[in-house]
Amino acid sequence: MILFLSCIAFRNNLCLSSIPSTLKALPLDGHFTFDEVHFAAKDFGNRYQFLPAAILHPKSVSDIANTIKHIWQMGSHSELTVAARGHGHSLQGQSQAHRGVVISMVSLHGPEMQIYTGNSPYVDVSGGELWINILHESLKYGLTPKSWTDYLHLTVGGTLSNAGVSGQAFQHGPQISNVNQLEVVTGKGDVVTCSEKHNSDLFHSVLGGLGQFGIITRARISLEPAPDMVKWIRVLYSDFATFARDQEHLISLGRTFDYIEGFVIINRTGLLNNWRSSFNPQDPVQASHFKSDGRTLFCLELAKYFNQDKSDVVHQEIEHLLSQLGYITSTLFLSEVTYVEFLDRVHVSEVKLRSKGLWEVPHPWLNLFIPRSKIHNFADEVFGNILTETSNGPVLIYPVNKSKWDNRTSAITPEEDTFYLVAFLTSAVPSSTGTDGLEHILTQNKRILEYCEKAHLGVKQYLPHYTTQEEWRAHFGPRWEIFVQRKSAYDPLAVLAPGQRIFQKAIPFS
């Protein structure tokens, strides 16, 4: 028996040790790294570290396809899996592949970014391209993508594999609602071009598909005429019901703001003083006397895009829209910035945090989609009892219209016409054992999730993370079977995206 077990161990070790040599033999335009692999075992969440066996630095789509096809042909006898990594902004190790291959998508050298003007303009771009670069390039033609994330230094493939949500989503839908065509490498190593009319099942599978069905190597993204400037507004509420009512009113209008988000401020009396450096109080005397007195406040953040020759008209539109709202009148803060400055505003915060060594810390974020009918219950419990002070990082809360989402994609949302994104974007202070420490924040997140479950709120996680297939089944609900069928069709050996922990390689899905 000992001899038998020794033979098995020897054979397994031999199999693992032979993996790099088989990969080395592949004909590639790029190259593999087998030694310096630690950076691919880290992500923005800074909580999970799984070392891969190799990192692929592709220079062409065929590099990715040949690698995946090689692993597919190795069959279920190989443990090798593949994860695509953009800028590593996953939160729970989703872009990692323990003892597998991580593909560094930023190395991908496809055709140059191409802008097509005309009645229905679009941009063709590599899956490893950053949204900030698309913004700068499209603006040269007076064009811009319609829907964004709040942070632009993310890859196209990364956000389209989730959804891509921000304050424009109520109007234009998430980023996955603004894609015309994709080039995808499936779990079998096939390179497939797909769209709503051609290979449509794969197209919809991959959008919001958490990397389970293919790696996005190219995307065709819809564009629209770009504005020059942005009127950027913040107002405060002390009453959640009024705050929610006003947000829902604004997203229901045909002519409204171009960006609508909200966030929660708990026990921070000095916040308005911080805003004065970048915002002008509408009434400096009144605003300077406003005190939160430790109350929980709700901030409505609004933006109206415009070209400079229309400044007067836009000002009148804003006055009309604001007159319909019930915010605290002495808390109107207004600024005028360029379109680029507004969209890239989070990067300014990143630079500041990096300079203080506070960027590469644990980020135990929790993102939830909450049905409109349950948002008041959620707010009462979470903002009234569970959260007692504003954490290191914003707490976002804003509604979106489900009609702007495509149910054929893999993204999961609540079954109501309007639902809210609530995002707890907390940073943990390393080695802290207090309320800003990792364990406290994780416990707080757990309390929030347990409340949602116990109260049957019908909440769905965004950027979801579960550890068991049973939990994933519950997440997808009646759409689980479709998800499994798609996995069986496009990645039957479960080679792709092992860090999501949905399927295990060579283990039946159903």
Side-chain angles (χ1 to χ4, degrees), residues 180-387:
N180 300 336
Q181 182 177 291
L182 296 172
E183 179 186 71
V184 174
V185 180
T186 71
K188 301 177 184 178
D190 298 327
V191 182
V192 183
T193 299
C194 53
S195 65
E196 192 162 327
K197 296 181 179 179
H198 184 65
N199 296 315
S200 61
D201 185 65
L202 177 62
F203 178 71
H204 294 119
S205 298
V206 169
L207 293 172
L210 306 176
Q212 292 299 305
F213 312 111
I215 293 175
I216 298 170
T217 51
R218 200 152 187 84
R220 179 170 293 178
I221 298 159
S222 179
L223 302 176
E224 67 177 2
D228 301 325
M229 303 294 292
V230 175
K231 296 277 190 183
W232 185 7
I233 298 160
R234 283 179 180 170
V235 292
L236 292 177
Y237 294 75
S238 58
D239 174 59
F240 180 79
T242 308
F243 168 72
R245 182 201 67 199
D246 282 359
Q247 286 197 90
E248 291 170 19
H249 170 68
L250 288 175
I251 72 166
S252 73
L253 299 175
R255 194 171 184 85
T256 186
F257 291 98
D258 297 289
Y259 164 99
I260 298 169
E261 283 193 7
F263 59 92
V264 186
I265 306 160
I266 303 172
N267 198 23
R268 286 183 66 180
T269 55
L271 189 67
L272 295 190
N273 291 325
N274 296 334
W275 286 356
R276 287 194 177 85
S277 60
S278 55
F279 284 83
N280 298 314
Q282 185 79 357
D283 185 336
V285 177
Q286 280 193 308
S288 65
H289 287 106
F290 178 80
K291 297 285 189 297
S292 69
D293 298 323
R295 289 175 291 171
T296 295
L297 299 173
F298 305 94
C299 175
L300 180 56
E301 188 166 39
L302 308 163
K304 189 74 174 171
Y305 305 157
F306 68 101
N307 292 320
Q308 286 178 310
D309 59 343
K310 302 287 187 182
S311 181
D312 291 342
V313 175
V314 167
H315 183 73
Q316 291 175 6
E317 289 181 2
I318 290 173
E319 290 283 315
H320 174 67
L321 288 167
L322 290 177
S323 70
Q324 303 171 39
L325 307 181
Y327 61 90
I328 302 169
T329 55
S330 64
T331 65
L332 175 58
F333 284 75
L334 176 67
S335 183
E336 190 172 301
V337 295
T338 67
Y339 183 59
V340 172
E341 284 175 325
F342 175 71
L343 289 181
D344 201 28
R345 63 199 179 281
V346 177
H347 185 57
V348 176
S349 299
E350 177 192 351
V351 171
K352 291 179 181 176
L353 290 170
R354 282 190 183 279
S355 68
K356 298 176 182 177
L358 296 176
W359 183 254
E360 294 187 5
V361 298
H363 295 98
W365 288 6
L366 178 63
N367 297 271
L368 304 173
F369 288 147
I370 300 174
R372 173 185 173 273
S373 64
K374 304 294 185 182
I375 194 64
H376 295 275
N377 305 63
F378 180 90
D380 286 346
E381 176 63 21
V382 175
F383 305 135
N385 296 321
I386 297 177
L387 294 185

Side-chain angles (χ1 to χ4, degrees), residues 375-412:
I375 194 64
H376 295 275
N377 305 63
F378 180 90
D380 286 346
E381 176 63 21
V382 175
F383 305 135
N385 296 321
I386 297 177
L387 294 185
T388 56
E389 59 186 37
T390 297
S391 57
N392 292 320
V395 177
L396 305 182
I397 179 167
Y398 57 90
V400 292
N401 294 313
K402 190 177 176 67
S403 62
K404 304 296 182 178
W405 295 63
D406 190 330
N407 279 337
R408 293 171 295 178
T409 70
S410 295
I412 299 297

Side-chain angles (χ1 to χ4, degrees), residues 86 90-91 112 119 157 176 183 233 239 459 470 487:
S90 58
L91 298 170
E112 291 296 312
N119 292 332
I176 58 174
E183 179 186 71
I233 298 160
D239 174 59
V459 168
E470 288 71 26
K487 186 68 171 179

